Amino acid sequence: DSVGLAAQQARSRCTDREATSLTISTASPAHPLPTGWLGRWLDATGHDPLRAVSLEPVLPPMLAGATTAGAALPLHGLTLPTGPLAGAFEALGQPSAGEPPPQALAAQAITNLHRTARILGPALTHTANPTGGGALAAQLAVVARCVEMGAPTQAYSVSLGGFDTHTAQRSTQQRLLTAVDQAITEFLSGMAGTARGRNVVLVAYSEFGRRVAANTNEGTDHGTAGPVFVAGAPVRGGFIGAQPSLTDLHNGDLKPTTDFRDIYATLIADVLRTDPEPVLGPGRSTLPLVAA
């Protein structure tokens, strides 16, 4: 089951990759925000960083909230002090009466680090390896193990880079999309076979769209719209949004037919079971993506 959607970047022309990525992360196309949409979800629903976990090298902006941030779980594992230093380092996470706020935050960070290593660390030491898909498959394999372990995490972030294809796009896209296909196929097949896995919803999207016409270097430049794929046992199969025209364009770009913030609103409401308004503001609509 999958759903394809034309996702709006809410900009008439995107030429700045970083700005476009930040718009997708913050769900705020009109003005910049210092928080990501999942970070604001964390702020609104509790203060446990393990509810949103990134398997990427650096915590992505979408998991950064004003008072709470998600956790980062590097694939190579968390290296904590051992031997005589282990107890002393863990003791630094103990709160002290009357300590100033910066010191309290530092102590809480150490406590969270140990908790992340204790709860999610076993998922990194499992001997099973994915059969293909490279780095993305490795990240999704850890997600699958966390799901089956019953981890408290409700949202995971994984990524695959290299899609900024301004030159020689065809071969690069073929290689990368093959890796995406292999990784997602193996992940969803595994999730479909277990009770916990059948609750999982996967969302795949790019941080920026592409222009319709090729450039002079056999690639395409940044555009304003692109597809979003939603898959998993709870997902209703089908398409949402009109098929974008390849000839009726806006300044050479696809005309988006679905606001990407409505996709987020649907995920927050129907998957995370939370009111989307504190996260995305008023006026958002939900889409028929998830079966009741």
Side-chain angles (χ1 to χ4, degrees), residues 98-136:
E99 61 187 358
Q103 185 175 330
L105 286 174
Q108 185 62 51
I110 293 174
T111 297
N112 291 339
L113 180 63
H114 280 87
R115 182 165 173 258
T116 301
R118 183 177 69 255
I119 295 177
L120 301 183
L124 299 173
T125 58
H126 197 281
T127 56
N129 292 312
T131 57
L136 181 61

Side-chain angles (χ1 to χ4, degrees), residues 35-44 61-66 68-70:
T35 57
W37 69 281
L38 281 175
R40 295 195 296 277
W41 168 73
L42 289 172
D43 288 339
M62 71 176 176
L63 297 189
T68 306

